[in-house]
Amino acid sequence: MGCPSIEKKPVVIAVCGEKNSGKTSLLVKLVREFSRRGIKTAVIKHDGHDFTCDIPGTDSYRLKQAGAYGTAVFSDSRIFVHKTGTKEREGDLIQLFPEAQLVFFEGMKKSCYPKIEVIREGISKAPVSNPQGRFLIVTDKNPSDFAEKTVGFDDIGMIVDSIIERMKEETKERNDNKCER
């Protein structure tokens, strides 16, 4: 009888750490490298505060200010959606990127997602994330200070290799769980 069709879902990796530790800078390098390798990548940034996501004076901004629950602007090459939040969960946001093979969360340090923690000298002293799922620490500190595998900020190849290994493990687990052998 064969395996049932396997739902194609992106692998999710959280990149977390203290404020100003270099999470976004690291993600820019990672996204650039994954894009170069042809891996479709999305990033969802968690913000613990409110933020402005539209430009004052634009039509979409004016319509949202007038009371629209949501606005969207689109062209052949881009989509922008501004919607009033309704306590969405991470899974709801991941579904916004069905074509992605890899979704990074920036933040989510308390989650159980597989995660990379960024620890920078002068910013953070020790890991602050939930250790469950943490598989890599990117740091400029002494690697012997940590129990997990560590790499430096410029070791993008090693970081990407670790993420690809994690992607393979996740895919294998999904396949093993969906198909009796």
Side-chain angles (χ1 to χ4, degrees):
M1 176 158 115
C3 295
S5 64
I6 296 172
E7 182 181 340
K8 186 179 170 196
K9 296 188 327 189
V11 171
V12 177
I13 305 281
V15 174
C16 58
E18 295 281 356
K19 182 177 179 163
N20 295 323
S21 60
K23 300 179 297 290
T24 302
S25 296
L26 176 62
L27 279 165
V28 166
K29 292 176 184 178
L30 292 175
V31 168
R32 186 174 292 128
E33 181 59 20
F34 279 108
S35 295
R36 188 187 71 73
R37 293 183 186 205
I39 296 174
K40 198 169 279 204
T41 307
V43 179
I44 301 170
K45 181 176 173 67
H46 177 260
D47 190 336
H49 312 288
D50 200 6
F51 60 94
T52 302
C53 62
D54 204 349
I55 300 169
T58 61
D59 293 346
S60 57
Y61 181 87
R62 291 176 53 219
L63 292 164
K64 189 75 173 88
Q65 291 302 110
Y69 162 72
T71 60
V73 180
F74 71 100
S75 69
D76 288 344
S77 60
R78 181 174 333 273
I79 299 170
F80 169 77
V81 176
H82 180 181
K83 177 180 151 182
T84 300
T86 56
K87 307 262 188 239
E88 283 75 13
R89 315 238 337 117
E90 297 93 51
D92 300 323
L93 299 172
I94 293 167
Q95 290 178 17
L96 294 173
F97 303 100
E99 308 85 3
Q101 296 164 277
L102 175 62
V103 173
F104 285 112
F105 272 112
E106 182 175 337
M108 307 300 293
K109 64 185 170 197
K110 302 291 184 210
S111 76
C112 294
Y113 288 112
K115 67 184 77 60
I116 296 169
E117 182 155 353
V118 178
I119 300 176
R120 186 174 296 280
E121 186 72 49
I123 302 292
S124 41
K125 294 180 176 33
V128 295
S129 67
N130 176 355
Q132 184 178 354
R134 191 171 57 220
F135 68 96
L136 186 65
I137 292 179
V138 177
T139 187
D140 56 359
K141 297 178 89 168
N142 186 337
S144 65
D145 292 347
F146 307 101
E148 291 90 345
K149 177 180 174 184
T150 63
V151 297
F153 285 97
D154 293 325
D155 296 328
I156 298 304
M158 290 177 64
I159 299 167
V160 168
D161 289 345
S162 294
I163 293 169
I164 288 173
E165 186 60 36
R166 180 57 94 157
M167 291 174 75
K168 288 177 183 175
E169 289 171 16
E170 294 264 332
T171 301
K172 183 181 180 331
E173 281 179 28
R174 287 180 191 166
N175 290 341
D176 289 349
N177 290 335
K178 295 229 178 188
C179 185
E180 303 271 339
R181 301 210 184 237

